[in-house]
Amino acid sequence: MKLVFATSNKGKLREAQEILGEGFELLTPTDLGIDSDIPETGDTLAENSAQKARFVYERCGLDCFADDTGLEVDGLNGAPGVHTARYASEVAERDGLAPVASHDFAANIRTLLREISLHPGASRKARFRTSVTLILSGKEYSFDGTMEGRIADSEAGCGGFGYDPVFIADEYPDRTVAEIPEETKNSISHRGKALRAMAEFLKK
């Protein structure tokens, strides 16, 4: 089955293909000549996910899906949340610092660790949430997944992408997600749970 995945993130694309398996062929907007920036201006992960899926569907008319993922840290009152991919950029703007590019995850990690350090004793308990929107024959369906864990004191590991080097999942409390095999990560991850739910729905 062919599906368009509304992302330009190669890490997400690789992860989604491995999770969904051989029965699915994933295309990207770039494959279809769609090179416009996909908007994500919603107030929630679900709104962003739906917005991105609709944007692609309106331009290609093909079955497609999109995800939006947020990292919630209890000690930061749930931040960065819906601003996860743009965290460093928005904190820099808030604090009057030099501009930072959106989706710069090295900067996002540095910002996250710095912000937590400003609140000594605050809980480092955290979770990733993913909201997936599937548009199939013009109808919308949604799927969700969560991975509980905590924020590490420092970066470790070189696998995965995004905040993986500083996120420790409850299932593997002695290492970051960037230190576990990708197949293992996919079996416990927020995105893995949401995409497997989508795959089961499609197989029915």
Side-chain angles (χ1 to χ4, degrees):
M1 180 179 190
K2 286 188 177 181
L3 289 171
V4 182
F5 185 10
T7 187
S8 59
N9 184 313
K10 292 180 180 179
K12 278 189 180 184
L13 179 65
R14 182 186 69 251
E15 185 177 270
Q17 185 64 74
E18 290 179 358
I19 291 166
L20 294 176
E22 296 180 355
F24 297 88
E25 178 185 350
L26 300 186
L27 304 173
T28 67
T30 301
D31 294 331
L32 302 174
I34 301 172
D35 55 9
S36 306
D37 288 337
I38 300 176
E40 44 184 330
T41 58
D43 293 326
T44 66
L45 299 176
E47 287 177 10
N48 274 342
S49 173
Q51 184 182 43
K52 290 189 279 189
R54 291 167 190 160
F55 180 88
V56 171
Y57 184 76
E58 288 167 1
R59 284 156 179 76
C60 71
L62 301 175
D63 293 338
C64 64
F65 70 97
D67 86 300
D68 198 40
T69 292
L71 172 64
E72 301 173 351
V73 181
D74 288 355
L76 296 177
N77 297 317
V82 73
H83 306 286
T84 292
R86 306 177 298 278
Y87 191 45
S89 174
E90 296 190 0
V91 169
E93 183 177 352
R94 180 198 73 190
D95 294 346
L97 304 175
V100 177
S102 180
H103 293 73
D104 180 341
F105 277 96
N108 285 340
I109 287 174
R110 291 194 300 271
T111 299
L112 177 67
L113 294 177
R114 185 180 70 246
E115 290 292 300
I116 293 176
S117 73
L118 297 176
H119 304 278
S123 173
R124 300 179 83 91
K125 185 174 176 56
R127 70 209 48 81
F128 276 111
R129 295 189 191 277
T130 287
S131 177
V132 170
T133 298
L134 169 70
I135 300 183
L136 188 67
S137 300
K139 293 184 178 180
E140 292 186 15
Y141 306 88
S142 61
F143 309 89
D144 299 295
T146 302
M147 178 168 61
E148 295 285 343
R150 61 185 174 85
I151 302 302
D153 294 329
S154 58
E155 295 182 57
C158 56
F161 59 93
Y163 291 87
D164 288 352
V166 291
F167 188 84
I168 298 173
D170 285 348
E171 291 88 342
Y172 294 90
D174 60 342
R175 69 198 78 175
T176 70
V177 174
E179 294 178 288
I180 62 177
E182 188 157 14
E183 182 178 345
T184 302
K185 172 195 169 183
N186 291 344
S187 71
I188 64 170
S189 79
H190 45 295
R191 190 173 294 106
K193 293 171 184 174
L195 290 179
R196 280 192 295 277
M198 183 183 81
E200 287 300 313
F201 169 79
L202 289 169
K203 289 172 182 175
K204 291 177 182 178

